[in-house]
Coordinates of all heavy atoms in Angstrom, one line a residue:
R1 N -97.0 -85.5 156.7 CA -98.1 -86.5 156.3 C -98.1 -86.7 154.8 O -98.3 -87.8 154.3 CB -99.4 -86.1 156.8 CG -100.5 -87.2 156.6 CD -101.8 -86.8 157.2 NE -102.4 -85.6 156.5 CZ -103.1 -85.7 155.4 NH1 -103.4 -86.8 154.9 NH2 -103.6 -84.6 154.9
I2 N -98.0 -85.6 154.0 CA -98.0 -85.6 152.6 C -96.6 -85.4 152.1 O -96.0 -84.3 152.4 CB -98.9 -84.5 152.0 CG1 -100.3 -84.7 152.5 CG2 -98.9 -84.6 150.5 CD1 -101.0 -86.0 152.2
L3 N -96.0 -86.3 151.3 CA -94.7 -86.1 150.8 C -94.7 -85.4 149.5 O -93.9 -84.5 149.3 CB -94.0 -87.5 150.7 CG -93.5 -88.1 151.9 CD1 -94.6 -88.8 152.7 CD2 -92.3 -89.1 151.7
Y4 N -95.6 -85.8 148.6 CA -95.7 -85.1 147.3 C -97.2 -85.1 146.9 O -97.9 -86.0 147.2 CB -94.9 -85.8 146.2 CG -93.4 -85.5 146.2 CD1 -92.5 -86.4 146.8 CD2 -93.0 -84.3 145.7 CE1 -91.2 -86.1 146.8 CE2 -91.6 -84.0 145.7 CZ -90.7 -84.9 146.3 OH -89.4 -84.6 146.3
E5 N -97.6 -84.0 146.3 CA -98.9 -83.9 145.7 C -98.8 -83.4 144.3 O -98.1 -82.4 144.0 CB -99.8 -82.9 146.5 CG -101.2 -82.9 146.1 CD -102.2 -82.3 147.1 OE1 -101.7 -81.7 148.1 OE2 -103.4 -82.2 146.9
L6 N -99.4 -84.1 143.4 CA -99.3 -83.8 141.9 C -100.7 -83.3 141.5 O -101.7 -84.0 141.8 CB -98.9 -85.0 141.1 CG -97.4 -85.4 141.1 CD1 -97.1 -86.0 142.4 CD2 -97.1 -86.3 139.9
E7 N -100.8 -82.1 140.9 CA -102.0 -81.5 140.5 C -102.0 -81.3 139.0 O -101.2 -80.5 138.5 CB -102.3 -80.2 141.2 CG -102.4 -80.4 142.7 CD -102.6 -79.0 143.4 OE1 -102.2 -78.0 142.8 OE2 -103.1 -79.0 144.6
D8 N -102.8 -82.0 138.2 CA -103.0 -81.8 136.8 C -101.6 -81.8 136.1 O -101.3 -81.0 135.2 CB -103.7 -80.5 136.5 CG -104.2 -80.3 135.1 OD1 -104.5 -81.4 134.5 OD2 -104.3 -79.2 134.6
V9 N -100.8 -82.8 136.4 CA -99.4 -82.9 135.9 C -99.5 -83.6 134.5 O -100.1 -84.6 134.4 CB -98.5 -83.6 136.8 CG1 -97.2 -84.0 136.1 CG2 -98.2 -82.8 138.0
S10 N -98.8 -83.0 133.5 CA -98.7 -83.6 132.2 C -97.3 -83.6 131.7 O -96.5 -82.8 132.2 CB -99.6 -82.8 131.2 OG -101.0 -82.8 131.5
K11 N -97.0 -84.5 130.8 CA -95.6 -84.5 130.3 C -95.7 -84.9 128.8 O -96.3 -85.9 128.4 CB -94.8 -85.5 131.0 CG -93.3 -85.7 130.5 CD -92.5 -84.4 130.6 CE -91.1 -84.6 130.1 NZ -90.3 -83.3 130.2
S12 N -95.0 -84.1 128.0 CA -94.9 -84.4 126.5 C -93.4 -84.4 126.1 O -92.6 -83.7 126.7 CB -95.6 -83.3 125.7 OG -97.0 -83.3 126.1
Y13 N -93.2 -85.3 125.1 CA -91.9 -85.3 124.5 C -92.1 -84.8 123.0 O -92.6 -85.7 122.2 CB -91.2 -86.6 124.5 CG -90.9 -87.1 125.9 CD1 -91.7 -88.0 126.6 CD2 -89.7 -86.7 126.5 CE1 -91.4 -88.4 127.9 CE2 -89.4 -87.1 127.8 CZ -90.2 -87.9 128.5 OH -89.9 -88.4 129.8
G14 N -91.9 -83.6 122.7 CA -92.2 -83.1 121.4 C -93.7 -83.1 121.3 O -94.5 -82.6 122.1
E15 N -94.2 -83.7 120.2 CA -95.6 -83.8 120.0 C -96.3 -85.0 120.7 O -97.5 -85.1 120.7 CB -95.9 -83.9 118.4 CG -95.5 -82.7 117.7 CD -95.8 -82.8 116.2 OE1 -96.3 -83.9 115.8 OE2 -95.6 -81.9 115.4
K16 N -95.5 -85.9 121.2 CA -96.0 -87.1 121.9 C -96.3 -86.8 123.3 O -95.4 -86.5 124.1 CB -95.0 -88.3 121.8 CG -95.5 -89.5 122.4 CD -94.6 -90.7 122.2 CE -95.0 -91.9 123.0 NZ -96.4 -92.4 122.6
Q17 N -97.6 -86.9 123.7 CA -98.0 -86.7 125.1 C -98.0 -88.0 125.8 O -98.7 -88.9 125.5 CB -99.3 -86.0 125.2 CG -99.7 -85.6 126.7 CD -100.8 -84.6 126.7 OE1 -101.7 -84.6 126.0 NE2 -100.7 -83.7 127.7
V18 N -97.2 -88.1 126.9 CA -97.1 -89.4 127.6 C -98.0 -89.4 128.8 O -98.7 -90.4 129.1 CB -95.6 -89.6 128.1 CG1 -95.5 -90.9 128.9 CG2 -94.7 -89.6 126.9
L19 N -98.1 -88.3 129.5 CA -99.0 -88.2 130.7 C -99.9 -87.0 130.6 O -99.5 -85.9 130.0 CB -98.2 -88.1 132.0 CG -97.3 -89.3 132.4 CD1 -96.4 -88.9 133.5 CD2 -98.2 -90.5 132.7
S20 N -101.1 -87.1 131.0 CA -102.1 -86.0 130.9 C -102.9 -85.9 132.2 O -103.6 -86.9 132.6 CB -103.0 -86.2 129.7 OG -103.9 -85.2 129.6
G21 N -102.9 -84.7 132.8 CA -103.8 -84.4 133.9 C -103.7 -85.4 135.1 O -104.7 -85.8 135.7
V22 N -102.4 -85.8 135.4 CA -102.2 -86.7 136.5 C -102.5 -86.0 137.9 O -102.0 -85.0 138.2 CB -100.8 -87.3 136.5 CG1 -100.5 -88.1 137.8 CG2 -100.6 -88.1 135.3
E23 N -103.3 -86.7 138.7 CA -103.6 -86.3 140.1 C -103.2 -87.4 141.0 O -103.6 -88.5 140.9 CB -105.1 -86.0 140.3 CG -105.7 -85.0 139.3 CD -105.4 -83.6 139.8 OE1 -105.1 -83.4 141.0 OE2 -105.6 -82.6 138.9
L24 N -102.2 -87.1 141.9 CA -101.7 -88.1 142.8 C -101.2 -87.5 144.1 O -100.6 -86.4 144.1 CB -100.5 -88.8 142.1 CG -99.7 -89.8 142.9 CD1 -100.6 -91.0 143.2 CD2 -98.5 -90.3 142.1

């Protein structure tokens, strides 16, 4: 029923943060 669950996912490239605290 659930294929993927994202909990508090963040992504940074060096000092640049692109995604922060993604819940999906």
